[in-house]
Amino acid sequence: MMINLLIEKIKNKEIRICVIGLGYVGLPLLKIATEKGFNTIGLDTDIEKVKKAIKEEVKATTNLNESLNDSDCFIICVPTPIDENHRPDLRFVESATQAVSKYLKKDSIVILESTVAPGTTEEIIVPLLNKSGLEAGKDIYVAQCPERIDPGNKKWNVRNIPRVIGGIDEESAVVARMLYENIIEAEIVKMNSTRAAEAVKIVENTFRDVNIAFINELAKSFDKINIDIFEVIKGASTKPFGFMPHLPGCGVGGHCIAIDPYYLIEKAEKSGFNHNFLKLAREINNSMPEYTIKKIIEGLNEVGKCIKNSKLALLGLAYKGGVGDTRESPAFPILNKLEKLGANIRIFDPYVLDKSTVKSLDEALNKSDFIVIVTDHPEFKKITAEKLKNNGIMAVIDGRNILDKERIKKMNIIYKGIGR
Ligand code: SAJ
């Protein structure tokens, strides 16, 4: 088909879009594409995700044929995790691509939203698609449009976050951009290649990882010289340009920041470059749970206690405040170490009740002598020094620096923050 005809079909919403992967990226995309008038269907291997999508009034299925057959456009939004050796794991992307390649027809559009190393679309996705007998760049259009969802963000969402796209050729880029311009209400910026679009996403998140590592290392250093890093960040933030505040904490979790740098590190290694700096940043961020344990030991020692048999509340399992996602959360290495050291632990996370061992914050507090804050949930930010005193809490290890240090210390409760 002439590209103009395809563009007309897109503008007239005459194509069927199949979104593969209905997690925190795919489901919002499926919903907004449906809202914009496209004929859509969602595909996921997890029946619970399909049920959730149907409850949100979009068509979804676990059935490959029902979803992939008769679709003109396939948008792949499946996870790209790392394995236990921090090696990228493309299993989900490869199986989704293999499934799609069985249903391709002339002028199909395939777009990858999953975060991958630069070069993945060209070197892995295209060869898998070409196995269909149709040729990417000749018979089908292929592009990369990295997802930019920030779970829990009240301001930025799939509708208003600008996107970048890159095509394996100019026509693929034009088609993909036209498609997203008819779904997303924000700017769609065309890069010169899929490789550049893949790199944009990795760079965005690696930028964040190294900046967090920078402030985490400063926190360790300032702990030694009795400087409150928070006060310094606040001071540095008065500079109206050239400084971007990041916060120290008990660790960097989640399926983006803690993962994406490894995709670039491995890709670069294969191409003969060693990302010393990115690896060091990952090492520093991965050291923060251990550093938090050190602060717990220090805090308990100041009241003549040790971790063994101490009654301790671990507040938070999620990787960041306001969400229930526990992937790569620093809570688990901290919890494992505390259990190894024989602590008597109560776990509470209002967003992860199925893994909590007590039913409320009050129960966690009144059954404990010490608290460790791991997640900056809004509920935990409201914990007052008075509440701690009334519950007989002797020491607070504030892994997210969210409590009122001075007020807590005034109540003769030991306070240990990360860098404060
Ligand atoms: N964290 C710190 N210090 C900081 C910021 C975060 O320790 O200054 C920790 C958090 O506690 C968490 C981890 O890092 O454990 C990741 O936090 P995050 O706020 O970066 O949250 P994510 O992983 O949901 O990141 C997403 C990303 N969005 C996408 O990948 C599409 C990221 O690009 C966004 O910059 C980020 O949201 C955001 O800005 O909130």
Coordinates of all heavy atoms in Angstrom, one line a residue, residues 34-68:
T34 N -8.1 3.3 22.5 CA -9.5 3.0 22.3 C -10.4 4.3 22.4 O -11.3 4.6 21.6 CB -10.0 2.0 23.5 OG1 -9.1 0.9 23.5 CG2 -11.4 1.5 23.2
E35 N -10.0 5.1 23.4 CA -10.7 6.4 23.6 C -10.6 7.3 22.4 O -11.5 8.0 22.0 CB -10.1 7.1 24.9 CG -10.7 8.5 25.2 CD -9.7 9.3 26.0 OE1 -9.2 8.8 27.0 OE2 -9.3 10.4 25.5
K36 N -9.5 7.2 21.7 CA -9.3 8.0 20.5 C -10.0 7.5 19.3 O -9.9 8.0 18.2 CB -7.8 8.2 20.2 CG -7.0 8.9 21.3 CD -7.4 10.4 21.4 CE -6.6 11.1 22.4 NZ -7.0 12.5 22.6
G37 N -10.7 6.3 19.5 CA -11.5 5.8 18.4 C -10.9 4.7 17.5 O -11.5 4.3 16.5
F38 N -9.7 4.2 17.9 CA -9.1 3.1 17.2 C -9.9 1.8 17.5 O -10.4 1.7 18.7 CB -7.7 3.0 17.5 CG -6.8 4.0 16.8 CD1 -6.4 5.2 17.5 CD2 -6.4 3.8 15.5 CE1 -5.6 6.1 16.9 CE2 -5.6 4.8 14.9 CZ -5.2 5.9 15.5
N39 N -9.9 0.9 16.6 CA -10.3 -0.5 16.9 C -9.1 -1.2 17.6 O -8.0 -1.2 17.0 CB -10.7 -1.1 15.5 CG -11.0 -2.6 15.7 OD1 -11.2 -3.1 16.9 ND2 -11.2 -3.3 14.6
T40 N -9.4 -1.6 18.8 CA -8.2 -2.1 19.6 C -8.5 -3.4 20.3 O -9.7 -3.8 20.5 CB -7.9 -1.1 20.7 OG1 -9.1 -1.0 21.6 CG2 -7.6 0.3 20.2
I41 N -7.4 -4.1 20.6 CA -7.5 -5.3 21.4 C -6.2 -5.4 22.2 O -5.1 -5.1 21.7 CB -7.8 -6.5 20.6 CG1 -8.1 -7.7 21.5 CG2 -6.7 -6.9 19.6 CD1 -8.9 -8.9 20.9
G42 N -6.3 -5.9 23.4 CA -5.1 -6.1 24.3 C -4.8 -7.6 24.4 O -5.8 -8.4 24.3
L43 N -3.6 -7.9 24.5 CA -3.1 -9.3 24.6 C -2.2 -9.4 25.8 O -1.2 -8.6 25.9 CB -2.4 -9.8 23.3 CG -1.7 -11.2 23.4 CD1 -2.7 -12.3 23.7 CD2 -0.9 -11.4 22.1
D44 N -2.5 -10.4 26.7 CA -1.5 -10.7 27.8 C -1.6 -12.1 28.1 O -2.7 -12.8 28.0 CB -1.8 -9.8 29.0 CG -0.6 -9.6 29.9 OD1 -0.2 -10.7 30.5 OD2 -0.1 -8.5 30.0
T45 N -0.5 -12.7 28.6 CA -0.5 -14.1 29.0 C -1.2 -14.3 30.3 O -1.6 -15.3 30.7 CB 0.9 -14.7 29.1 OG1 1.7 -13.7 29.9 CG2 1.6 -14.8 27.7
D46 N -1.2 -13.2 31.1 CA -1.7 -13.2 32.5 C -3.2 -12.9 32.5 O -3.6 -11.8 32.2 CB -0.9 -12.2 33.3 CG -1.4 -12.1 34.8 OD1 -2.5 -12.7 35.1 OD2 -0.8 -11.4 35.6
I47 N -4.0 -13.9 32.8 CA -5.5 -13.7 32.8 C -6.0 -12.6 33.7 O -6.9 -11.9 33.4 CB -6.2 -15.1 33.1 CG1 -7.8 -14.9 32.9 CG2 -5.9 -15.6 34.5 CD1 -8.2 -14.6 31.5
E48 N -5.2 -12.4 34.8 CA -5.6 -11.4 35.8 C -5.5 -10.0 35.1 O -6.3 -9.1 35.3 CB -4.8 -11.5 37.0 CG -5.0 -12.7 37.9 CD -6.5 -13.0 38.1 OE1 -7.2 -12.0 38.4 OE2 -6.9 -14.1 38.0
K49 N -4.4 -9.8 34.3 CA -4.3 -8.6 33.6 C -5.4 -8.4 32.6 O -5.9 -7.3 32.4 CB -2.9 -8.5 33.0 CG -1.7 -8.3 34.0 CD -0.5 -7.8 33.3 CE 0.5 -7.3 34.3 NZ 1.1 -8.4 35.2
V50 N -5.7 -9.5 31.9 CA -6.8 -9.4 30.9 C -8.1 -9.0 31.6 O -8.9 -8.1 31.2 CB -6.9 -10.7 30.2 CG1 -8.2 -10.8 29.3 CG2 -5.7 -10.9 29.3
K51 N -8.4 -9.7 32.8 CA -9.6 -9.4 33.5 C -9.7 -7.9 33.9 O -10.7 -7.2 33.8 CB -9.7 -10.3 34.7 CG -10.2 -11.7 34.4 CD -10.3 -12.5 35.8 CE -10.5 -14.0 35.5 NZ -10.1 -14.7 36.8
K52 N -8.5 -7.4 34.4 CA -8.4 -6.0 34.8 C -8.7 -5.1 33.6 O -9.5 -4.1 33.7 CB -7.0 -5.7 35.4 CG -6.8 -4.3 35.9 CD -5.5 -4.2 36.7 CE -5.3 -2.9 37.4 NZ -4.8 -1.8 36.4
A53 N -8.2 -5.4 32.5 CA -8.4 -4.6 31.3 C -9.9 -4.6 30.9 O -10.5 -3.6 30.6 CB -7.6 -5.1 30.1
I54 N -10.5 -5.8 30.9 CA -11.9 -5.9 30.6 C -12.8 -5.1 31.5 O -13.7 -4.4 31.1 CB -12.3 -7.4 30.5 CG1 -11.6 -8.0 29.3 CG2 -13.9 -7.5 30.4 CD1 -11.7 -9.5 29.3
K55 N -12.4 -5.1 32.8 CA -13.1 -4.3 33.8 C -13.0 -2.8 33.5 O -13.9 -2.0 33.8 CB -12.5 -4.6 35.2 CG -13.5 -5.0 36.3 CD -13.0 -5.0 37.7 CE -12.4 -6.4 38.0 NZ -11.5 -6.4 39.2
E56 N -11.9 -2.5 32.9 CA -11.7 -1.0 32.5 C -12.2 -0.8 31.1 O -11.8 0.1 30.4 CB -10.2 -0.7 32.7 CG -9.8 -0.9 34.1 CD -8.5 -0.2 34.5 OE1 -8.1 0.8 33.8 OE2 -7.9 -0.6 35.5
E57 N -13.1 -1.7 30.7 CA -13.9 -1.5 29.4 C -13.0 -1.4 28.1 O -13.3 -0.7 27.2 CB -14.8 -0.3 29.5 CG -16.0 -0.6 30.3 CD -16.5 0.6 31.1 OE1 -16.5 1.7 30.5 OE2 -17.0 0.5 32.2
V58 N -12.0 -2.2 28.1 CA -11.3 -2.4 26.8 C -11.3 -3.9 26.5 O -11.4 -4.7 27.4 CB -9.9 -1.8 26.9 CG1 -9.9 -0.3 26.9 CG2 -9.1 -2.4 28.0
K59 N -11.2 -4.1 25.2 CA -11.2 -5.5 24.7 C -9.8 -6.1 25.0 O -8.8 -5.5 24.7 CB -11.4 -5.6 23.2 CG -12.8 -6.2 22.8 CD -13.2 -5.9 21.4 CE -12.5 -6.8 20.4 NZ -12.7 -6.4 19.0
A60 N -9.8 -7.3 25.6 CA -8.5 -8.0 25.9 C -8.7 -9.5 25.9 O -9.8 -9.9 26.2 CB -8.0 -7.4 27.2
T61 N -7.6 -10.2 25.7 CA -7.7 -11.6 25.7 C -6.3 -12.2 25.9 O -5.3 -11.5 25.8 CB -8.2 -12.1 24.3 OG1 -8.2 -13.5 24.3 CG2 -7.3 -11.6 23.2
T62 N -6.3 -13.5 26.3 CA -5.1 -14.2 26.4 C -4.8 -15.0 25.1 O -3.8 -15.7 24.9 CB -5.1 -15.3 27.5 OG1 -6.2 -16.1 27.3 CG2 -5.2 -14.6 28.9
N63 N -5.8 -14.9 24.2 CA -5.8 -15.8 23.0 C -5.0 -15.1 21.8 O -5.4 -14.0 21.4 CB -7.3 -16.0 22.5 CG -7.3 -16.9 21.3 OD1 -6.8 -16.6 20.2 ND2 -7.9 -18.1 21.5
L64 N -4.0 -15.7 21.4 CA -3.1 -15.1 20.3 C -3.9 -14.9 19.1 O -3.9 -13.8 18.5 CB -1.9 -16.1 20.0 CG -0.8 -16.2 21.1 CD1 0.3 -17.1 20.6 CD2 -0.2 -14.9 21.4
N65 N -4.6 -15.9 18.6 CA -5.3 -15.8 17.3 C -6.3 -14.6 17.3 O -6.4 -13.8 16.5 CB -5.9 -17.1 17.0 CG -6.3 -17.2 15.5 OD1 -5.4 -16.9 14.7 ND2 -7.5 -17.5 15.2
E66 N -7.1 -14.6 18.4 CA -8.2 -13.6 18.5 C -7.6 -12.2 18.5 O -8.2 -11.3 18.0 CB -8.9 -13.9 19.9 CG -10.1 -13.0 20.1 CD -10.6 -13.0 21.5 OE1 -10.3 -14.0 22.2 OE2 -11.3 -12.1 21.9
S67 N -6.4 -12.1 19.1 CA -5.9 -10.7 19.2 C -5.0 -10.3 18.0 O -5.1 -9.3 17.4 CB -5.1 -10.6 20.5 OG -4.1 -11.7 20.6
L68 N -4.1 -11.3 17.6 CA -3.1 -10.9 16.6 C -3.7 -11.0 15.2 O -3.4 -10.1 14.3 CB -1.9 -11.8 16.7 CG -1.1 -11.7 18.1 CD1 0.0 -12.7 18.1 CD2 -0.6 -10.3 18.3

